[in-house]
Coordinates of all heavy atoms in Angstrom, one line a residue:
I115 N 21.1 9.7 17.0 CA 21.8 10.3 18.2 C 22.1 11.8 18.0 O 22.4 12.5 19.0 CB 23.1 9.5 18.4 CG1 23.6 9.8 19.8 CG2 24.1 9.7 17.4 CD1 24.6 8.8 20.4
R116 N 22.1 12.3 16.8 CA 22.5 13.7 16.5 C 21.4 14.7 16.9 O 21.7 15.8 17.1 CB 22.8 13.9 15.1 CG 24.0 13.1 14.6 CD 24.2 13.2 13.1 NE 23.0 12.5 12.4 CZ 22.8 12.5 11.1 NH1 23.6 13.2 10.4 NH2 21.8 11.9 10.6
H117 N 20.1 14.2 17.0 CA 19.0 15.1 17.1 C 18.4 15.2 18.5 O 18.3 14.1 19.2 CB 17.9 14.8 16.1 CG 18.4 14.7 14.7 ND1 19.3 15.6 14.2 CD2 18.2 13.8 13.7 CE1 19.6 15.3 12.9 NE2 18.9 14.2 12.6
P118 N 18.0 16.4 19.0 CA 17.2 16.4 20.2 C 15.9 15.7 20.1 O 15.5 15.4 19.0 CB 17.0 17.9 20.4 CG 17.2 18.6 19.1 CD 18.1 17.7 18.3
I119 N 15.2 15.5 21.2 CA 14.0 14.7 21.2 C 13.0 15.4 20.3 O 12.9 16.6 20.2 CB 13.4 14.6 22.6 CG1 12.5 13.4 22.7 CG2 12.9 15.9 23.2 CD1 12.3 12.9 24.1
Q120 N 12.3 14.6 19.5 CA 11.3 15.1 18.5 C 9.9 14.8 18.9 O 9.7 13.8 19.6 CB 11.6 14.4 17.1 CG 13.0 14.4 16.6 CD 13.3 15.7 15.9 OE1 12.6 16.2 15.0 NE2 14.5 16.3 16.2
F121 N 9.0 15.7 18.5 CA 7.6 15.5 18.9 C 7.0 14.2 18.6 O 6.4 13.5 19.4 CB 6.8 16.7 18.3 CG 5.3 16.6 18.7 CD1 4.9 16.9 19.9 CD2 4.4 16.1 17.7 CE1 3.6 16.8 20.3 CE2 3.0 16.0 18.1 CZ 2.6 16.4 19.4
N122 N 7.3 13.7 17.3 CA 6.6 12.4 16.9 C 7.3 11.2 17.6 O 6.6 10.2 17.9 CB 6.5 12.3 15.4 CG 7.8 12.5 14.7 OD1 8.8 12.7 15.3 ND2 7.8 12.4 13.4
D123 N 8.5 11.3 18.0 CA 9.1 10.2 18.8 C 8.5 10.2 20.2 O 8.1 9.1 20.7 CB 10.6 10.4 19.0 CG 11.4 10.2 17.7 OD1 10.9 9.3 16.9 OD2 12.4 10.8 17.4
K124 N 8.3 11.4 20.8 CA 7.7 11.5 22.1 C 6.3 10.9 22.1 O 5.9 10.1 23.0 CB 7.5 12.9 22.5 CG 8.6 13.4 23.5 CD 8.2 14.8 24.0 CE 9.0 15.1 25.2 NZ 8.8 16.5 25.6
E125 N 5.5 11.3 21.1 CA 4.1 10.8 20.9 C 4.1 9.3 20.7 O 3.3 8.6 21.3 CB 3.5 11.4 19.7 CG 3.1 12.9 19.8 CD 2.1 13.1 20.9 OE1 0.9 12.7 20.6 OE2 2.4 13.6 22.0
F126 N 5.0 8.8 19.9 CA 5.1 7.3 19.7 C 5.4 6.6 20.9 O 4.8 5.5 21.2 CB 6.0 7.0 18.5 CG 5.9 5.6 18.1 CD1 4.9 5.2 17.2 CD2 6.8 4.6 18.5 CE1 4.7 3.9 16.8 CE2 6.6 3.3 18.1 CZ 5.6 3.0 17.3
L127 N 6.4 7.0 21.7 CA 6.8 6.4 22.9 C 5.6 6.4 23.9 O 5.4 5.4 24.6 CB 8.0 7.0 23.5 CG 9.3 6.8 22.7 CD1 10.4 7.7 23.2 CD2 9.8 5.3 22.9
K128 N 4.9 7.5 23.9 CA 3.8 7.6 24.8 C 2.7 6.5 24.5 O 2.2 5.8 25.3 CB 3.1 9.0 24.7 CG 2.1 9.3 25.7 CD 1.8 10.8 25.7 CE 0.5 11.1 26.2 NZ -0.4 11.8 25.3
W129 N 2.5 6.4 23.2 CA 1.5 5.4 22.7 C 2.0 4.0 23.0 O 1.2 3.1 23.5 CB 1.3 5.5 21.2 CG 0.4 4.6 20.6 CD1 -1.0 4.7 20.5 CD2 0.7 3.3 20.0 NE1 -1.5 3.6 19.9 CE2 -0.5 2.7 19.5 CE3 1.9 2.6 19.7 CZ2 -0.6 1.5 18.9 CZ3 1.8 1.4 19.1 CH2 0.6 0.8 18.7
I130 N 3.3 3.7 22.9 CA 3.8 2.4 23.2 C 3.6 2.1 24.7 O 3.2 1.0 25.1 CB 5.4 2.4 22.9 CG1 5.6 2.4 21.5 CG2 6.1 1.2 23.6 CD1 6.4 1.2 20.9
G131 N 3.8 3.1 25.5 CA 3.6 3.0 27.0 C 2.2 2.7 27.3 O 1.9 1.8 28.1
E132 N 1.3 3.5 26.7 CA -0.1 3.3 27.0 C -0.6 1.9 26.6 O -1.6 1.4 27.2 CB -1.0 4.4 26.2 CG -0.9 5.7 26.9 CD -1.3 6.8 25.9 OE1 -1.7 6.6 24.8 OE2 -1.3 8.0 26.4
N133 N 0.0 1.4 25.6 CA -0.4 0.0 25.1 C 0.4 -1.1 25.7 O 0.2 -2.3 25.3 CB -0.4 0.0 23.6 CG -1.5 0.8 22.9 OD1 -2.6 0.2 22.7 ND2 -1.3 2.1 22.7
L134 N 1.2 -0.8 26.7 CA 2.0 -1.8 27.4 C 2.8 -2.7 26.5 O 2.9 -3.9 26.7 CB 1.1 -2.6 28.3 CG 0.1 -1.8 29.3 CD1 -0.8 -2.8 30.0 CD2 1.0 -1.0 30.3
I135 N 3.4 -2.1 25.5 CA 4.2 -2.9 24.6 C 5.7 -2.9 25.1 O 6.2 -1.8 25.4 CB 4.2 -2.2 23.2 CG1 2.8 -1.9 22.7 CG2 5.1 -2.9 22.2 CD1 2.0 -3.1 22.3
P136 N 6.3 -4.1 25.2 CA 7.7 -4.1 25.6 C 8.6 -3.4 24.6 O 8.4 -3.7 23.4 CB 8.0 -5.6 25.7 CG 6.7 -6.3 25.5 CD 5.7 -5.4 24.9
F137 N 9.4 -2.5 25.0 CA 10.3 -1.8 24.1 C 11.6 -1.5 24.6 O 11.9 -1.5 25.8 CB 9.6 -0.6 23.6 CG 9.6 0.6 24.6 CD1 10.4 1.7 24.4 CD2 8.8 0.6 25.7 CE1 10.5 2.7 25.3 CE2 8.8 1.6 26.6 CZ 9.6 2.7 26.4
G138 N 12.5 -1.2 23.7 CA 13.9 -0.7 24.0 C 14.2 0.5 23.1 O 13.5 0.7 22.2
I139 N 15.2 1.3 23.5 CA 15.6 2.4 22.7 C 17.0 2.2 22.1 O 17.8 1.7 22.8 CB 15.5 3.7 23.5 CG1 14.0 4.0 23.8 CG2 16.2 4.9 22.7 CD1 13.8 5.3 24.6
I140 N 17.1 2.4 20.8 CA 18.4 2.3 20.2 C 18.8 3.7 19.6 O 18.1 4.2 18.7 CB 18.5 1.2 19.1 CG1 18.1 -0.1 19.7 CG2 19.9 1.2 18.5 CD1 18.1 -1.3 18.7
F141 N 19.9 4.3 20.1 CA 20.4 5.5 19.5 C 21.3 5.0 18.3 O 22.2 4.2 18.5 CB 21.3 6.3 20.5 CG 20.4 6.8 21.6 CD1 20.3 6.1 22.8 CD2 19.7 8.0 21.4 CE1 19.5 6.6 23.9 CE2 18.9 8.5 22.5 CZ 18.8 7.8 23.7
T142 N 21.0 5.6 17.1 CA 21.7 5.2 15.9 C 22.7 6.2 15.4 O 22.7 7.4 15.9 CB 20.7 4.9 14.7 OG1 20.1 6.2 14.4 CG2 19.7 3.9 15.1

Side-chain angles (χ1 to χ4, degrees):
I115 196 162
R116 294 170 297 170
H117 306 317
I119 201 156
Q120 309 275 314
F121 179 75
N122 52 3
D123 288 327
K124 258 189 166 170
E125 287 294 293
F126 191 77
L127 287 167
K128 189 166 158 241
W129 180 84
I130 290 241
E132 285 164 0
N133 285 274
L134 307 176
I135 308 293
F137 75 104
I139 291 181
I140 302 180
F141 295 97
T142 64

